[in-house]
Amino acid sequence: MWFCAVRSDDLGKPGAFRTVQVGRESVIVSRAKDGSIRAFLNVCRHRGARLCAEESGEVRRAFQCAYHAWTYDLEGKLIAAPNLTKMPDIDRVAYGLVKVHVREWLGYVWVCLADEPPSFEEDVLGAVVTRLGDLTSIENYGVENLKVGRRIVYDVKANWKLIVENFMECYHCATIHPELTEVLPEFADGYAAQYFIGHGAEFGAGIQGFTVDGSPGVDRIPGVTEDQDRRYYAITIKPQVFVNLVPDHAIVHRMFPLAADRTVVECDWLFLPEVVESGRDLGPSVELFHKVNEQDFDACERCQPGMSSRAYANGGVLVPSEHHIAIFHDWVAGRLGLTR
Amino acid sequence: MWFCAVRSDDLGKPGAFRTVQVGRESVIVSRAKDGSIRAFLNVCRHRGARLCAEESGEVRRAFQCAYHAWTYDLEGKLIAAPNLTKMPDIDRVAYGLVKVHVREWLGYVWVCLADEPPSFEEDVLGAVVTRLGDLTSIENYGVENLKVGRRIVYDVKANWKLIVENFMECYHCATIHPELTEVLPEFADGYAAQYFIGHGAEFGAGIQGFTVDGSPGVDRIPGVTEDQDRRYYAITIKPQVFVNLVPDHAIVHRMFPLAADRTVVECDWLFLPEVVESGRDLGPSVELFHKVNEQDFDACERCQPGMSSRAYANGGVLVPSEHHIAIFHDWVAGRLGLTR
Amino acid sequence: MWFCAVRSDDLGKPGAFRTVQVGRESVIVSRAKDGSIRAFLNVCRHRGARLCAEESGEVRRAFQCAYHAWTYDLEGKLIAAPNLTKMPDIDRVAYGLVKVHVREWLGYVWVCLADEPPSFEEDVLGAVVTRLGDLTSIENYGVENLKVGRRIVYDVKANWKLIVENFMECYHCATIHPELTEVLPEFADGYAAQYFIGHGAEFGAGIQGFTVDGSPGVDRIPGVTEDQDRRYYAITIKPQVFVNLVPDHAIVHRMFPLAADRTVVECDWLFLPEVVESGRDLGPSVELFHKVNEQDFDACERCQPGMSSRAYANGGVLVPSEHHIAIFHDWVAGRLGLTR
């Protein structure tokens, strides 16, 4: 599947790289000489050493293995190694880095480890269309042009699927999200924005912005329509991305499942570049969803140990406002080749 | 099997609860409105969250899940949930907490996770009769009326079966229990009290009480007979309880197996209520068996790593004074469906 | 296989012992009354307790189990136990400690856990002959008469086979061993000394000794021939020993694999007894290979996580100067009963 790996902006100039864990593989995402993005398995073809041991960094013109100095250019081609000229049987392309498929969208680099990746249009864009009704609705926010105003990384002791289930329903909102339901009163009824195609949850009457205290937010994104103003939209892009849209910012979650009971979630708060550069206080905007994240991840951690209980052997029960989660369960079972 | 979970006294009034780990399940043991004890799997029926995250506490009238506010009364019945009235298909009894069988005896709550529990009379009371010859002998101590004077919790890096084997034999007493064999000289010969039906080990000539230094203990329990005076009785109730009886107190061990090589042992020293309330120094009484516990658990931890050695593949050897442990081995093999 | 366990000198007088982990077994290596070396599984025959819990120590005349006081003499025979005289069925030899085969060579104790050990001559001495061409070449160094001047223990987060592969090739020397290639310029070309039978890498022109800065070393070992002077020889004795020979000292590595991704390496720097006793500064001699060790183990740790990558599924590639490692791979596959 397509996996949202890195914010493109985090790869400033050619040679900049990030390493991310995608399932069992470490992947290098980097910017090539021509400014485009490439991704490779983070493994030297010679003896298997990690090529980049750091989470991020910058190389000049090539990746050089610290073990035997095998050297790969920014396109992944093997360009140098001790005695390489005396080794005619070492093909420089065949022993180049193992390439990983790459797409850019919303200002993020999405990677796919499959030999033949599935359709990005169907899987990723399709998820947005299914949720919002069309692509224009998200394009209005120009998420690819926004800047990261704040990034928070959460280490959650729960399976990623619990985090997806949690994000897909709002039956829990009245119980654990007092700040959010203050801003979005309809969430107190338990119906998540995601439940109705194209629907965005409306801000409460006295609410001036999507902030922890309802105070005004920052500059509205120009492309946002009147219909979209004063509304919150949430989109789940399986398997590991949540996109949240409000008039003056976007919040994007990327999940990195690291174990059956551990998921690292990297969450970006994205604003207009001039807002970020102005140094304005983003605290009230960030604080709202940071609280929501903490409340949600606490709940997920509370569920994790019960997953193996005989009391949960049948998977609990879904109330009407959660019934769309059954579609997620069917999808998981299908991907695992299970019949239910 | 029946598993000794909680001291009844620890559940003061209706709404008081304790959570205990019984194998892979977390169990809530609590006092209901009518003063009786109930036990439930500690898992919300809705999405599987832990209902009680604490080891002990007190609720007013109901258990409420912190995730979606599903609420269960002290009998386990589902009594409230957001929008519950609009969900006619949610049966309040069918979606009540999963009940766990409960019995009270010796002032402890015993639970059983089986659908059809085995006979408490045969399994639990039967173990005492097999050891002491009758039930009267233990009833004389009125253990259910005693109070906890001291509780010590031990975290032992050994399998629970090693702790049982250790408790069943006294061949090690001369080597590792100098204080105990001072008080009970016959233990130095290696024959555990448990070896002979009805036999209690006699205090040494100059010993005034079951204390670390042989000094006098506290007030004798009124029901204890002259035959039982100045004697120590030990009883193993499989799988996880040891009862120790002396004229002025009882010592009860409950084991909680947490992993193949880890067992938490909770040990209570129980005295007459007036003794505990008087604030008298229980130190010399507690110190004796606390030392024994530490000496025994050290020995068990020393055995654990050798269990997988080829030198122990046949299970070592049992000397004559340990031969009754073979019955324990047969019992374990039988429970596991192994033929030996 | 034969496993190099302990430096004989570390077992000073009768009763001195060391415990070492050999695969899944803890082994006691000790000096008997007659001064010879014995080895036993570190497990009491009675109930399986660890006999010696410490890494090293000294007993007077016997090993006594701390649990039930079963007592074994320095030959492993059961000589005492409580009530032993009343237990005619306990055969004192049959219930002696489980013996482990022992050989001494190069001043080390080698043990073998097999019932029928393979030929020490073929496996251990044979490895040296294969490498050096004859035994005389190593006998010249009189390694058994040298003394430990320094011992460093490394805890490496890598499989032991990565450490063997690393030691067998010098293609990495130019990249990670600047100090070593300064002393041994031919190593910069990537051909390890082990590649050619009998070959020892020659010191560089201005180099005065096998030291971190090329300064003079200490007193030359008398038996070293002119041919061997100013040369470095490395020998791999599978599965877990490296021997390094230079004119004035020997460096011996013993590996203790503790997990699939963890190996403890104990490295001895051995000098003439008079050199060690003189208190002369061994720092420059020790520092050279200590740096090499650190550089090598860093490289191995960098490879470990890549071993499960799909990019390494075929085992990477061996360049010409590494092709002899393929023989090691074939050997491993053979021992595992794999066909490649």
Side-chain angles (χ1 to χ4, degrees):
Chain A
M1 300 192 71
W2 287 99
F3 187 102
C4 187
V6 169
R7 181 81 186 157
S8 307
D9 268 357
D10 289 332
L11 304 172
K13 50 179 183 175
F17 70 85
R18 295 245 159 184
T19 56
V20 290
Q21 193 67 24
V22 181
R24 295 198 180 114
E25 298 286 357
S26 174
V27 173
I28 302 172
V29 185
S30 67
R31 196 171 289 281
K33 231 172 164 179
D34 64 359
S36 66
I37 303 281
R38 306 296 165 99
F40 313 102
L41 294 187
N42 186 8
V43 176
C44 179
R45 294 302 300 279
H46 174 221
R47 304 304 304 140
R50 278 268 166 280
L51 218 50
C52 300
E54 311 76 33
E55 279 196 6
S56 66
E58 201 179 303
V59 295
R60 228 174 220 279
R61 268 186 317 223
F63 296 105
Q64 188 173 62
C65 180
Y67 196 173
H68 299 85
W70 279 38
T71 308
Y72 306 87
D73 71 12
L74 298 178
E75 320 285 322
K77 191 183 158 197
L78 178 64
I79 52 169
N83 304 326
L84 185 59
T85 50
K86 297 178 203 154
M87 305 175 198
D89 51 330
I90 303 286
D91 183 286
R92 294 175 182 218
V93 172
Y95 286 104
L97 297 177
V98 175
K99 292 186 182 173
V100 169
H101 295 279
V102 165
R103 281 289 292 263
E104 281 189 86
W105 191 58
L106 299 183
Y108 284 91
V109 182
W110 306 64
V111 300
C112 180
L113 270 67
D115 291 333
E116 299 288 339
S119 161
F120 191 87
E121 283 65 27
E122 277 178 36
D123 276 19
V124 180
L125 306 190
V128 176
V129 171
T130 300
R131 167 68 188 92
L132 297 181
D134 57 48
L135 274 182
T136 314
S137 301
I138 194 168
E139 288 166 356
N140 292 343
Y141 291 82
V143 180
E144 64 278 14
N145 300 319
L146 303 180
K147 292 278 165 204
V148 175
R150 183 78 183 276
R151 171 173 295 161
I152 301 180
V153 178
Y154 305 86
D155 201 328
V156 187
K157 286 180 203 65
N159 188 276
W160 66 276
K161 297 189 291 298
L162 282 173
I163 302 176
V164 171
E165 291 186 12
N166 168 275
F167 190 75
M168 290 180 90
E169 54 93 357
C170 202
Y171 183 51
H172 66 269
C173 292
T175 311
I176 70 174
H177 297 318
E179 300 85 1
L180 185 64
T181 50
E182 189 72 29
V183 171
L184 306 174
E186 69 185 76
F187 270 20
D189 290 341
Y191 281 84
Q194 300 185 54
Y195 196 69
F196 307 104
I197 294 175
H199 178 72
E202 204 172 356
F203 292 6
I207 296 301
Q208 294 177 280
F210 194 75
T211 55
V212 73
D213 52 4
S215 62
V218 292
D219 300 355
R220 181 168 144 191
I221 296 164
V224 169
T225 65
E226 286 309 309
D227 280 359
Q228 293 175 316
D229 196 16
R230 297 183 57 75
R231 284 186 184 271
Y232 163 83
Y233 298 86
I235 309 153
T236 302
I237 303 175
K238 293 189 297 278
Q240 46 82 255
V241 180
F242 307 145
V243 179
N244 307 268
L245 303 169
V246 290
D248 60 343
H249 63 285
I251 303 160
V252 178
H253 297 76
R254 282 165 290 144
M255 294 197 288
F256 296 87
L258 295 188
D261 57 0
R262 186 180 165 215
T263 307
V264 163
V265 185
E266 215 166 309
C267 184
D268 291 340
W269 280 259
L270 302 156
F271 300 84
L272 287 172
E274 54 268 31
V275 167
V276 174
E277 286 149 18
S278 73
R280 286 177 59 183
D281 180 18
L282 304 173
S285 298
V286 170
E287 190 63 16
L288 176 53
F289 225 88
H290 174 50
K291 270 192 193 299
V292 170
N293 283 339
E294 290 192 319
Q295 291 154 349
D296 280 338
F297 301 154
D298 275 359
C300 293
E301 292 187 345
R302 202 169 175 120
C303 286
Q304 182 64 39
M307 294 301 95
S308 55
S309 169
R310 65 172 74 173
Y312 198 71
N314 296 323
V317 56
L318 294 168
V319 304
S321 60
E322 296 172 320
H323 275 165
H324 62 299
I325 292 180
I327 300 170
F328 174 64
H329 292 174
D330 288 342
W331 173 82
V332 170
R335 299 289 305 185
L336 295 173
L338 302 173
T339 48
R340 284 155 59 89
Chain B
M1 301 192 71
W2 288 99
F3 187 102
C4 187
V6 168
R7 182 82 187 156
S8 307
D9 268 357
D10 289 332
L11 305 171
K13 50 179 183 174
F17 70 86
R18 295 245 158 183
T19 56
V20 289
Q21 193 67 24
V22 182
R24 295 199 180 113
E25 297 286 356
S26 174
V27 172
I28 302 172
V29 185
S30 66
R31 196 170 288 281
K33 232 172 164 177
D34 64 0
S36 67
I37 303 281
R38 306 296 164 99
F40 313 101
L41 295 187
N42 186 9
V43 174
C44 179
R45 295 302 301 278
H46 173 220
R47 305 304 305 141
R50 279 268 166 281
L51 218 51
C52 299
E54 310 76 33
E55 279 196 7
S56 67
E58 201 179 303
V59 296
R60 228 174 219 280
R61 269 187 317 229
F63 297 106
Q64 187 174 62
C65 180
Y67 197 175
H68 300 85
W70 279 38
T71 307
Y72 306 87
D73 70 13
L74 297 179
E75 319 286 321
K77 190 183 160 198
L78 177 64
I79 51 170
N83 304 326
L84 184 60
T85 49
K86 296 177 203 155
M87 305 176 198
D89 52 330
I90 304 285
D91 183 286
R92 294 174 182 220
V93 173
Y95 285 104
L97 294 178
V98 175
K99 291 185 182 174
V100 170
H101 295 280
V102 165
R103 281 291 291 263
E104 281 188 86
W105 191 57
L106 300 183
Y108 285 91
V109 182
W110 306 63
V111 300
C112 180
L113 271 65
D115 290 334
E116 298 289 338
S119 161
F120 191 87
E121 282 65 27
E122 277 178 37
D123 276 19
V124 179
L125 306 190
V128 176
V129 172
T130 300
R131 166 70 188 92
L132 297 181
D134 57 48
L135 274 182
T136 316
S137 302
I138 194 168
E139 288 166 356
N140 292 344
Y141 292 81
V143 181
E144 63 279 12
N145 301 319
L146 304 180
K147 293 277 166 205
V148 176
R150 182 77 182 276
R151 171 172 294 160
I152 301 181
V153 178
Y154 304 85
D155 201 329
V156 187
K157 284 178 204 67
N159 188 277
W160 65 275
K161 295 188 293 297
L162 282 173
I163 302 176
V164 171
E165 290 186 12
N166 169 276
F167 190 76
M168 289 179 91
E169 54 93 356
C170 203
Y171 183 49
H172 67 268
C173 290
T175 310
I176 70 175
H177 297 318
E179 300 85 359
L180 185 65
T181 50
E182 190 72 29
V183 172
L184 306 174
E186 69 185 73
F187 271 20
D189 291 341
Y191 282 83
Q194 301 187 52
Y195 197 71
F196 307 102
I197 294 174
H199 177 72
E202 204 171 358
F203 292 5
I207 296 300
Q208 295 179 279
F210 194 75
T211 55
V212 74
D213 52 5
S215 62
V218 292
D219 300 356
R220 181 169 144 190
I221 297 164
V224 169
T225 66
E226 285 310 309
D227 280 358
Q228 293 175 316
D229 196 16
R230 296 183 58 76
R231 286 187 182 271
Y232 162 84
Y233 298 86
I235 309 152
T236 303
I237 303 174
K238 291 189 297 277
Q240 45 82 256
V241 181
F242 307 145
V243 179
N244 308 268
L245 302 169
V246 289
D248 60 343
H249 64 284
I251 304 161
V252 179
H253 298 76
R254 284 165 288 144
M255 294 197 287
F256 296 87
L258 296 188
D261 57 0
R262 186 179 166 216
T263 306
V264 163
V265 184
E266 216 167 306
C267 184
D268 291 341
W269 281 259
L270 301 155
F271 300 85
L272 287 171
E274 54 269 32
V275 168
V276 175
E277 286 150 18
S278 74
R280 285 175 60 181
D281 180 17
L282 304 173
S285 299
V286 170
E287 190 62 16
L288 177 53
F289 226 87
H290 173 51
K291 270 192 194 298
V292 170
N293 284 339
E294 289 190 320
Q295 291 154 348
D296 280 337
F297 301 154
D298 275 358
C300 294
E301 292 188 345
R302 202 167 174 120
C303 287
Q304 183 63 39
M307 294 300 97
S308 54
S309 170
R310 65 173 75 172
Y312 198 71
N314 295 324
V317 56
L318 294 169
V319 304
S321 60
E322 296 171 320
H323 275 166
H324 62 299
I325 293 180
I327 300 170
F328 174 64
H329 292 174
D330 289 342
W331 173 82
V332 170
R335 299 289 304 185
L336 294 173
L338 302 172
T339 50
R340 285 155 59 89
Chain C
M1 301 192 71
W2 287 100
F3 187 102
C4 186
V6 168
R7 182 82 187 155
S8 307
D9 268 356
D10 289 332
L11 305 171
K13 51 179 183 175
F17 70 86
R18 294 245 159 183
T19 56
V20 289
Q21 193 68 22
V22 182
R24 295 199 178 113
E25 297 287 358
S26 174
V27 173
I28 302 173
V29 185
S30 66
R31 197 171 287 282
K33 232 173 164 178
D34 64 0
S36 67
I37 303 280
R38 306 296 164 100
F40 312 102
L41 295 187
N42 187 8
V43 175
C44 179
R45 295 302 301 277
H46 174 222
R47 304 304 305 139
R50 279 269 165 280
L51 218 49
C52 299
E54 312 75 33
E55 280 195 7
S56 67
E58 201 179 303
V59 296
R60 228 175 220 278
R61 270 188 315 228
F63 296 105
Q64 187 174 62
C65 181
Y67 196 174
H68 300 84
W70 279 37
T71 307
Y72 306 87
D73 70 12
L74 298 178
E75 320 286 321
K77 190 183 160 195
L78 178 63
I79 52 170
N83 305 326
L84 184 60
T85 50
K86 298 178 203 153
M87 305 175 199
D89 51 332
I90 304 285
D91 184 286
R92 293 175 182 220
V93 173
Y95 286 104
L97 295 178
V98 175
K99 291 186 182 174
V100 169
H101 295 280
V102 164
R103 281 290 292 264
E104 279 188 88
W105 191 57
L106 300 183
Y108 285 91
V109 182
W110 306 63
V111 299
C112 180
L113 271 67
D115 290 334
E116 298 290 338
S119 161
F120 191 86
E121 283 65 26
E122 277 178 38
D123 275 19
V124 179
L125 306 190
V128 175
V129 172
T130 301
R131 166 68 189 90
L132 297 181
D134 57 46
L135 274 182
T136 316
S137 301
I138 194 168
E139 288 165 356
N140 293 343
Y141 292 81
V143 180
E144 63 280 13
N145 301 319
L146 303 181
K147 292 277 165 205
V148 175
R150 182 79 184 275
R151 172 173 292 160
I152 301 180
V153 177
Y154 305 85
D155 201 328
V156 187
K157 286 179 202 68
N159 188 276
W160 65 276
K161 296 189 293 298
L162 282 173
I163 302 176
V164 171
E165 291 187 12
N166 168 275
F167 190 76
M168 290 180 91
E169 54 93 355
C170 204
Y171 183 50
H172 67 269
C173 291
T175 310
I176 70 174
H177 297 319
E179 299 84 0
L180 185 64
T181 50
E182 190 71 28
V183 172
L184 306 174
E186 68 186 74
F187 271 20
D189 290 341
Y191 280 84
Q194 301 187 53
Y195 197 70
F196 307 103
I197 294 174
H199 177 72
E202 203 172 358
F203 293 5
I207 297 299
Q208 295 179 279
F210 194 75
T211 54
V212 74
D213 53 4
S215 62
V218 292
D219 299 356
R220 181 168 142 192
I221 297 164
V224 170
T225 66
E226 286 309 308
D227 280 357
Q228 293 175 316
D229 196 16
R230 297 184 57 76
R231 285 185 184 273
Y232 162 84
Y233 298 85
I235 309 151
T236 303
I237 303 174
K238 293 188 297 277
Q240 45 85 253
V241 181
F242 307 145
V243 180
N244 308 268
L245 303 169
V246 290
D248 60 343
H249 63 285
I251 304 161
V252 179
H253 298 77
R254 284 165 288 144
M255 295 196 287
F256 297 87
L258 296 187
D261 57 0
R262 185 179 167 217
T263 307
V264 163
V265 185
E266 217 166 306
C267 184
D268 291 341
W269 280 258
L270 302 155
F271 300 84
L272 287 171
E274 54 269 31
V275 168
V276 174
E277 285 149 18
S278 72
R280 286 177 60 184
D281 180 17
L282 305 174
S285 298
V286 170
E287 189 63 15
L288 176 53
F289 225 87
H290 174 51
K291 270 192 194 298
V292 170
N293 283 340
E294 290 191 319
Q295 292 153 349
D296 279 338
F297 301 154
D298 275 359
C300 294
E301 292 188 344
R302 201 166 175 122
C303 287
Q304 183 63 40
M307 294 300 96
S308 54
S309 170
R310 65 172 75 173
Y312 198 71
N314 295 324
V317 57
L318 294 169
V319 304
S321 60
E322 296 171 319
H323 276 165
H324 62 300
I325 294 179
I327 299 170
F328 174 64
H329 291 175
D330 288 342
W331 174 83
V332 170
R335 299 290 304 186
L336 295 173
L338 302 173
T339 49
R340 284 155 59 89

